[in-house]
Amino acid sequence: MTGAAALAALAASATPAAPAVLRGRGDFRSLSLVNRRTGEWIKSVYWIEGEYVPEALESMNHILRDWRQDREMEMDPTVLDILSATHGLLDTTEPFEVISGYRTPETNSLLRNRSKGVASNSYHIKGMAVDVTLKSRSVRQISGAGLSLRAGGVGKYSRSQFVHLDSGPVREWGR
């Protein structure tokens, strides 16, 4: 199977509007995510030859929605790029398990009342953050890959077994 045929097969299985990604044989970015709360998953090419694929971004927005309120937000594509690059550095085919993506202000307030670790003006509210984990990799490995990108915020939550990645300023916190 040629590279273009493999890309076409992946795109066709990942998004209902596959023709939008069948442009050529160039560079592409993909993501594989499983929403731990809803059981929904996606494996999709979301960027190809310098352009984001609108149908794939819409599918990502759905998977990363606030499941408590069943509300979506347009996620910052840069956070998707950070997730994709971090995943690529980890040398695994296992999808990221999503703990939290977009949060409505109401959900963020609810979580803030339960935990000191939730920021009042969280990047989750802005569609710029995702909390993820992998069964096959440690918090230290995931956060190390994210930090090596020097592309946004990386929070380590070792006790809760997840890593926060965002497209805000470069910074790090946690253990």
Side-chain angles (χ1 to χ4, degrees):
M1 183 180 285
T2 68
L7 179 59
L10 175 62
S13 67
T15 61
V21 299
L22 301 179
R23 294 193 194 121
R25 305 167 65 171
D27 194 19
F28 69 94
R29 296 177 193 157
S30 64
L31 260 176
S32 183
L33 305 171
V34 174
N35 186 311
R36 181 185 271 190
R37 304 296 184 172
T38 66
E40 298 164 322
W41 61 273
I42 187 170
K43 182 175 184 179
S44 182
V45 172
Y46 69 91
W47 182 94
I48 187 164
E49 296 179 352
E51 293 184 36
Y52 290 99
V53 180
E55 300 87 353
L57 293 180
E58 288 173 17
S59 296
M60 295 289 173
N61 293 340
H62 183 73
I63 293 291
L64 296 170
R65 75 189 180 283
D66 181 332
W67 60 271
R68 287 176 178 90
Q69 303 288 326
D70 197 26
R71 288 191 27 215
E72 296 179 18
M73 177 177 216
E74 187 174 316
M75 296 298 288
D76 178 7
T78 303
V79 78
L80 302 179
D81 294 339
I82 291 168
L83 285 166
S84 179
T86 299
H87 194 269
L89 291 172
L90 293 167
D91 191 31
T92 181
T93 58
E94 175 189 354
F96 269 132
E97 286 185 41
V98 175
I99 309 301
S100 184
Y102 168 64
R103 292 184 199 147
T104 62
E106 297 82 10
T107 293
N108 199 71
S109 180
L110 171 83
L111 295 175
R112 189 166 160 70
N113 288 335
R114 293 182 186 170
S115 171
K116 294 182 280 192
V118 177
S120 60
N121 194 22
S122 170
Y123 281 99
H124 288 278
I125 297 170
K126 302 171 186 178
M128 296 171 62
V130 182
D131 297 337
V132 294
T133 190
L134 289 167
K135 287 183 176 75
S136 66
R137 300 293 185 270
S138 68
V139 166
R140 185 173 167 188
Q141 289 171 313
I142 299 167
S143 63
L147 286 168
S148 75
L149 300 174
R150 309 250 343 122
V154 178
K156 294 173 271 201
Y157 295 87
S158 296
R159 281 189 18 206
S160 300
Q161 292 294 301
F162 72 87
V163 174
H164 168 99
L165 297 169
D166 71 49
S167 55
V170 175
R171 65 212 188 288
E172 66 176 290
W173 65 94
R175 299 180 167 172

